[in-house]
Amino acid sequence: MKYYLSALLLFFSFPHCSVGQETSTSNSSQPTPTPTTAIDTLFTFNDTINIPPKTTKSPGSVLTQIINKAQRYAYDLSELNIELAESLDTLEMYDQLPSINRLASRIKSQTEADADHLNHRYLIGMENLVSTAGDMNNEYRRKIQERADNLSKVGEKLYKIKADSLFQMTLRDTSLIPSINHEFKLLKESLMKVDSIYLQQEILTARYQAKVSENAMVFLALKQYLNQTKKRLDRQYWTKEINYLWEPTNYPKLVTLSSATKASFHLNFNLMKAYVDRTKYTFLICSVLLILSYWKIRSTLKIIASQKEFAPLIFDRVKYFKRYTFSSTLLILLPIFLIIFPKPPLVFISLLSLIMVIASSFLIREQFGAYFNKIWFAFLPPYVLLAISGLNWKTMYQERWFILLSSLIFILMGILLLKHAMKVKDKHHNFLKCLAVFLILIEIFAFFTNVFGRFNLSKTYSVAGIVLFYRAIGLYLFVNVFLEAIYLFIEHSKKESDVFTSYFDFQDLQKRTKGILYVFAIATWVYGMFWHLGFFDETYAWISEFLLKDRTLGETVFQFGSILMFAVILYVSTFLANNIAYFASVKDQKTATSRKQRLGSSVLLIRLAVLIIGFFIGMTAAKIPFDKIAIVLGALSVGIGFGLQTIINNLVSGIILAFERPIQIGDEIQVGMNAGTVKDVGIRASKIQAYDGSEIVVPNGDLLSQSLINWTLSDKKRRVELIIGVGYGSDMKLVKAVLEEVLKGERIMKAPPPRVYMQTFNDSSVDFRVLFWVESMDIWVDVRAEVMATIFEKFAEHSIEIPFPKRDLYLKSIPSNWQENISRPGEDISPERLDTDQNNDPGNKNKNSSEGKSPEE
């Protein structure tokens, strides 16, 4: 910058001289040449194409403009140089890209060499290897593409700078302003340097782009080859491969069982190692999640055992976590791990299934009883051997008899379980009954396909049948263990005073969460079934085509997938809205000490917000245009105004209730003839639980239009009123003193103070009005009963009469058989019998008895 400033000072110190113009006065008589434009006076141009247009500006202003432009270009070139300095990291690519290419070639050559031993498990493993290597190649391609995009932006900037006429200009007299000439020279050298680095980076990037593209073409050809091979196997899947069981053996023993098993072990080990390296961050997250979950559950159990008064009662309701904490924690997380790992190899799925079986082995006795526990462990070794056999990559027909025997063993297992499940009538054994039927059917199918020479089909179904059986047991335990964990967390978080109600809260929570847990478990099991049987790709492709195919209804184009997405998002939004409201209500009841701390009716706003957000997200995901929805709503507005005006009124009333908050969940209210506790403020109506246990559904519009009594709007205090009558002969001062003494009880508030008033002179009593306050609506009935009982006792002690209706009976005649009735021993002479006899006496039919009189009369 200082060079440009010194150049300007130098230039403007000669205001009467022009650059390139002679200053000699010896030829003063010679006429001065007419100057051209200022830029022509100062500079010459190497390229006539880029000569700037003529200007009438002074040389000083032109030079200032050129210097400013040169400064800007110098800054731009510095930025480009810094950006080019972050070159592509080719050290890893240099080693890995050729290795990826060699791996693809080896996979193809190995597959072609093993053409006589191919099966679906083999192809699935090869596809996983191809997917792993392809993902690495795609990651490199992504990095190279990002670098190429950056270089493209750098090239555009360089082109604009190089196209400027500034770099075609040269000072006519370089000795006059040497600093400017030096800066121009440095600027041009910087441009050439940046341009050279840019060209090198472009060449390097293009070279590695070519290698990545070559690998991509190899993988594309390899995937096509594997797909064609799989289709060929699919066509052969149901055809006869080897001899029928009663025919002589017709298959050659190309490889021994031990060598093939050893080779499969090494290949599975390397595949597992590569998969772990590929998904190491997912493994790390899952490990941390397992450790944190186990620590949280252990600490929860310790806190319950040490701080809860009713810990034995809580642990009596716990089947799993009390004794098998780690196994239970594993069962909670393993089904989730089966889903979150992308494109897992068969060995990884088998390992997770084995871990699930081991964890389930500790819990099945508690869930299904001792008999099923014996069956489980008795048939566990054949399951493990068959699962290991399923990991062999090559088809070995020598395993035929082992597969045949395994099918018979598991058919026997299914029959034993079915007989046991038929004897016990509960939901757990109903589940076992269905599972036993599934195991019997699939193993019978595997047995007969083996008999009729379909070896690969038989092995696939035999392995899948027993694997799916054990996985179904693990998923069933997963649901129950998950619900038990929820129960423990509820017990841990609640107050001690709520110990007897939390189990009912847990039952309510079970109803809300068990359904979605079962849906998750069933979806996981079905996914595993299609995956193990080899139908997943075909099923996925068919469902994708069905859901994503464009369909036309009138002028509207839609997809079933969009409708399904909209329905799923709306269902999830409804589930979240309802459960958020539920948990907020539970939290209010457990932790809120005052009405102001409660969310109460504001939960309605949360529910509406979740539903509205879910609705708009669903519309966006389903690609439903909002303008069409607006047209439909506009067309329906008239119908809504007339036909649904009551519903709209209740909806708006609910929103008003949520904002004004005249009632809250937990308030004691009275609307018309209905009184009780507010349990829910819904979108259309609210629920009131009456004191007799019934639930009253009151439309929100009625809560606003009718007179509403809220006993707990500002506080929960309640005034209690009693009317106590005493006889006219009582000492009134003593009565008042006794009543005031009774009102000094502990649960009666001192402020406002209780009052006793003489109220009314009735026909047979003098009524006193007793008024007192209690702290909470929850106890007013109990305190009222205590006060009345105490008053009764105190009146008895002081001989204060509580009047009651009395009647005097005057008999005008006595039945003729009176003495006879008395003389008969054991005869009933009760007043009822006397009345009956008297009514039956013909002589008394026309006689009247006198009416009873009160004592005053």
Side-chain angles (χ1 to χ4, degrees):
M1 185 68 182
K2 63 181 180 180
Y3 296 112
Y4 294 124
L5 291 175
S6 60
L8 288 174
L9 291 174
L10 179 63
F11 179 80
F12 287 109
S13 62
F14 302 96
H16 302 289
C17 298
S18 299
V19 177
Q21 184 179 1
E22 295 183 4
T23 58
S24 177
T25 59
S26 57
N27 298 323
S28 57
S29 60
Q30 185 177 354
T32 304
T34 304
T36 61
T37 61
I39 195 167
D40 290 333
T41 305
L42 296 172
F43 299 97
T44 61
F45 296 92
N46 301 327
D47 189 358
T48 57
I49 298 176
N50 293 324
I51 295 176
K54 304 297 182 180
T55 177
T56 58
K57 295 181 179 180
S58 65
S61 61
V62 170
L63 188 60
T64 303
Q65 184 178 0
I66 292 174
I67 291 174
N68 290 335
K69 183 183 291 187
Q71 283 183 313
R72 186 171 66 252
Y73 284 153
Y75 179 77
D76 291 343
L77 289 173
S78 299
E79 283 188 338
L80 294 179
N81 195 22
I82 293 174
E83 190 168 353
L84 290 173
E86 299 176 359
S87 60
L88 185 66
D89 186 9
T90 59
L91 183 61
E92 182 181 358
M93 296 182 190
Y94 182 80
D95 295 330
Q96 293 297 328
L97 288 177
S99 300
I100 292 173
N101 191 287
R102 287 193 298 270
L103 176 61
S105 301
R106 288 177 183 176
I107 290 175
K108 187 172 183 179
S109 61
Q110 186 69 32
T111 306
E112 292 174 347
D114 295 333
D116 296 332
H117 306 281
L118 294 180
N119 53 41
H120 281 84
R121 294 180 301 280
Y122 188 104
L123 293 178
I124 289 173
M126 289 301 177
E127 284 180 344
N128 195 276
L129 281 175
V130 171
S131 177
T132 301
D135 289 343
M136 294 176 61
N137 190 72
N138 289 334
E139 181 64 22
Y140 292 141
R141 182 170 64 178
R142 183 188 62 80
K143 292 180 180 179
I144 293 172
Q145 187 61 44
E146 288 180 358
R147 187 59 185 169
D149 293 339
N150 292 335
L151 288 177
S152 177
K153 295 177 182 178
V154 171
E156 292 178 359
K157 293 179 181 179
L158 273 177
Y159 177 78
K160 291 180 180 179
I161 294 175
K162 290 166 61 177
D164 197 289
S165 60
L166 177 67
F167 296 94
Q168 308 299 328
M169 298 166 59
T170 306
L171 283 170
R172 292 184 181 276
D173 188 354
T174 57
S175 62
L176 182 62
I177 315 177
S179 58
I180 295 179
N181 185 60
H182 178 69
E183 292 298 326
F184 277 174
K185 183 179 179 180
L186 292 178
L187 186 61
K188 292 178 181 179
E189 290 177 356
S190 177
L191 176 61
M192 294 177 61
K193 180 180 178 181
V194 171
D195 192 32
S196 175
I197 296 174
Y198 165 72
L199 290 176
Q200 293 176 3
Q201 293 283 338
E202 265 201 331
I203 294 171
L204 182 65
T205 304
R207 185 185 306 161
Y208 279 94
Q209 269 186 326
K211 291 183 179 180
V212 169
S213 299
E214 180 184 357
N215 287 346
M217 295 299 296
V218 171
F219 282 121
L220 181 61
L222 184 56
K223 287 181 179 180
Q224 290 177 350
Y225 171 76
L226 292 176
N227 287 332
Q228 292 174 357
T229 305
K230 183 183 286 188
K231 290 179 181 179
R232 179 174 58 83
L233 286 181
D234 288 338
R235 290 192 296 268
Q236 299 175 356
Y237 204 51
W238 296 83
T239 60
K240 181 182 176 182
E241 298 173 280
I242 56 177
N243 59 287
Y244 295 135
L245 194 61
W246 57 85
E247 294 178 343
T249 303
N250 65 351
Y251 51 86
K253 298 181 179 180
L254 300 176
V255 292
T256 62
L257 186 62
S258 59
S259 62
T261 303
K262 185 177 180 181
S264 297
F265 173 79
H266 287 294
L267 190 56
N268 284 321
F269 178 80
N270 293 328
L271 185 61
M272 185 69 185
K273 183 178 178 181
Y275 186 73
V276 171
D277 184 66
R278 172 189 168 195
T279 58
K280 54 187 175 182
Y281 294 112
T282 308
F283 269 95
L284 180 61
I285 293 173
C286 291
S287 301
V288 172
L289 182 62
L290 176 61
I291 294 172
L292 292 178
S293 301
Y294 177 71
W295 171 80
K296 178 62 177 177
I297 293 174
R298 288 283 298 178
S299 62
T300 300
L301 291 171
K302 290 181 180 179
I303 291 173
I304 291 175
S306 61
Q307 299 182 6
K308 300 296 181 180
E309 181 181 353
F310 294 90
L313 177 62
I314 296 173
F315 287 128
D316 285 342
R317 298 168 180 166
V318 175
K319 291 182 180 179
Y320 315 109
F321 283 101
K322 184 179 179 181
R323 295 179 58 187
Y324 309 109
T325 308
F326 185 73
S327 298
S328 301
T329 307
L330 267 178
L331 275 179
I332 290 177
L333 297 177
L334 281 174
I336 302 174
F337 294 166
L338 286 170
I339 299 297
I340 64 176
F341 279 95
K343 299 179 182 178
L346 180 62
V347 61
F348 178 73
I349 292 294
S350 301
L351 184 60
L352 285 184
S353 298
L354 180 62
I355 295 174
M356 181 181 288
V357 169
I358 295 173
S360 302
S361 300
F362 294 96
L363 310 180
I364 54 171
R365 186 183 184 92
E366 299 290 339
Q367 185 68 49
F368 299 105
Y371 182 81
F372 182 78
N373 187 54
K374 294 178 182 178
I375 297 293
W376 177 278
F377 284 102
F379 290 91
L380 190 58
Y383 157 73
V384 175
L385 292 176
L386 188 61
I388 293 174
S389 173
L391 293 176
N392 287 331
W393 282 48
K394 296 181 179 180
T395 299
M396 292 175 290
Y397 297 118
Q398 299 94 312
E399 297 179 314
R400 180 178 192 177
W401 289 99
F402 170 70
I403 301 299
L404 202 66
L405 179 61
S406 299
S407 298
L408 291 175
I409 289 174
F410 294 124
I411 290 172
L412 176 62
M413 177 184 180
I415 293 173
L416 293 175
L417 286 178
L418 185 59
K419 288 183 177 180
H420 173 66
M422 296 288 287
K423 297 177 182 178
V424 183
K425 302 296 182 182
D426 59 29
K427 61 180 181 179
H428 306 308
H429 287 80
N430 288 335
F431 166 74
L432 283 182
K433 189 191 321 182
C434 298
L435 203 56
V437 171
F438 166 80
L439 180 62
I440 293 171
L441 292 177
I442 197 170
E443 293 297 339
I444 287 176
F445 177 80
F447 176 81
F448 281 104
T449 51
N450 197 340
V451 169
F452 288 100
R454 279 74 173 171
F455 173 77
N456 278 308
L457 184 65
S458 172
K459 183 174 182 179
T460 299
Y461 275 77
S462 182
V463 173
I466 191 60
V467 168
L468 291 172
F469 174 84
Y470 277 94
R471 183 176 295 179
I473 297 294
L475 290 171
Y476 187 82
L477 290 173
F478 154 77
V479 174
N480 292 276
V481 171
F482 201 101
L483 292 173
E484 189 173 283
I486 294 175
Y487 170 65
L488 288 175
F489 289 131
I490 290 177
E491 289 290 348
H492 172 262
S493 62
K494 71 179 182 59
K495 298 179 181 178
E496 194 65 37
S497 59
D498 300 324
V499 66
F500 295 111
T501 60
S502 63
Y503 187 67
F504 300 103
D505 294 339
F506 168 61
Q507 289 180 326
D508 189 17
L509 190 61
Q510 270 190 326
K511 296 177 182 177
R512 294 176 173 272
T513 57
K514 184 179 289 187
I516 195 167
L517 289 176
Y518 275 129
V519 168
F520 173 78
I522 292 172
T524 304
W525 188 83
V526 171
Y527 163 76
M529 181 182 68
F530 282 105
W531 195 87
H532 279 282
L533 295 179
F535 299 138
F536 179 77
D537 292 337
E538 292 78 4
T539 305
Y540 180 80
W542 180 82
I543 293 176
S544 299
E545 182 181 359
F546 175 77
L547 294 178
L548 300 179
K549 183 179 179 181
D550 290 336
R551 304 174 191 276
T552 304
L553 182 63
E555 297 181 355
T556 303
V557 179
F558 68 96
Q559 298 174 343
F560 285 134
S562 300
I563 298 175
L564 179 63
M565 179 68 69
F566 179 77
V568 168
I569 293 176
L570 208 60
Y571 170 77
V572 172
S573 301
T574 305
F575 175 81
L576 290 176
N578 292 334
N579 283 276
I580 287 173
Y582 170 77
F583 283 109
S585 301
V586 170
K587 184 178 180 182
D588 279 351
Q589 295 176 8
K590 301 294 182 184
T591 61
T593 57
S594 66
R595 187 177 186 274
K596 294 181 179 180
Q597 293 177 340
R598 296 179 181 174
L599 289 173
S601 56
S602 300
V603 176
L604 175 61
L605 299 178
I606 300 176
R607 293 177 62 182
L608 285 174
V610 173
L611 289 174
I612 292 172
I613 292 173
F615 177 77
F616 283 109
I617 292 176
M619 288 182 57
T620 304
K623 299 178 181 179
I624 300 175
F626 288 91
D627 54 348
K628 294 185 178 180
I629 295 295
I631 294 173
V632 173
L633 292 178
L636 293 176
S637 59
V638 178
I640 292 174
F642 288 98
L644 303 177
Q645 57 181 344
T646 303
I647 296 176
I648 300 299
N649 175 39
N650 291 327
L651 173 62
V652 175
S653 299
I655 297 175
I656 294 173
L657 289 174
F659 277 105
E660 291 189 357
R661 305 177 72 179
I663 62 171
Q664 292 279 59
I665 296 175
D667 283 355
E668 306 287 340
I669 68 170
Q670 181 175 347
V671 182
M673 301 298 294
N674 301 317
T677 305
V678 179
K679 301 300 292 183
D680 179 48
V681 180
I683 297 176
R684 186 195 66 84
S686 300
K687 292 180 182 178
I688 301 175
Q689 186 171 19
Y691 299 120
D692 60 359
S694 63
E695 291 189 354
I696 306 170
V697 179
V698 181
N700 291 331
D702 294 346
L703 295 176
L704 288 181
S705 61
Q706 297 184 17
S707 297
L708 173 68
I709 300 175
N710 191 336
W711 295 99
T712 57
L713 181 60
S714 57
D715 55 52
K716 298 191 70 174
K717 292 186 294 185
R718 169 72 186 261
R719 193 188 74 172
V720 182
E721 179 179 356
L722 297 176
I723 302 298
I724 307 297
V726 298
Y728 274 89
S730 303
D731 184 351
M732 300 305 166
K733 292 183 179 180
L734 177 62
V735 171
K736 186 174 182 180
V738 169
L739 292 176
E740 290 176 347
E741 182 67 23
V742 171
L743 296 180
K744 294 181 180 179
E746 294 182 358
R747 296 209 287 178
I748 297 175
M749 295 179 62
K750 303 303 183 290
R755 301 290 185 183
V756 178
Y757 300 100
M758 185 179 287
Q759 180 79 3
T760 308
F761 296 106
N762 278 330
D763 293 340
S764 59
S765 66
V766 177
D767 291 344
F768 282 83
R769 186 184 183 193
V770 179
L771 304 174
F772 60 90
W773 290 80
V774 293
E775 286 284 352
S776 175
M777 281 284 300
D778 301 332
I779 63 172
W780 80 273
V781 175
D782 296 336
V783 177
R784 178 176 178 271
E786 291 177 5
V787 170
M788 292 182 68
T790 306
I791 289 174
F792 187 84
E793 294 173 359
K794 294 294 184 181
F795 278 10
E797 289 179 7
H798 294 83
S799 301
I800 298 174
E801 180 186 7
I802 300 177
F804 56 90
K806 298 179 181 180
R807 296 292 183 268
D808 293 335
L809 182 62
Y810 296 95
L811 298 176
K812 293 184 178 181
S813 63
I814 298 177
S816 60
N817 59 350
W818 171 259
Q819 294 295 333
E820 183 182 351
N821 289 335
I822 294 177
S823 63
R824 294 176 186 173
E827 189 75 20
D828 183 13
I829 56 173
S830 62
E832 292 81 0
R833 175 65 184 273
L834 289 176
D835 292 341
T836 304
D837 292 341
Q838 186 174 0
N839 291 331
N840 292 333
D841 189 356
N844 292 329
K845 288 183 178 180
N846 298 322
K847 296 180 181 180
N848 296 324
S849 62
S850 63
E851 296 182 355
K853 305 291 184 179
S854 63
E856 291 76 7
E857 293 173 338

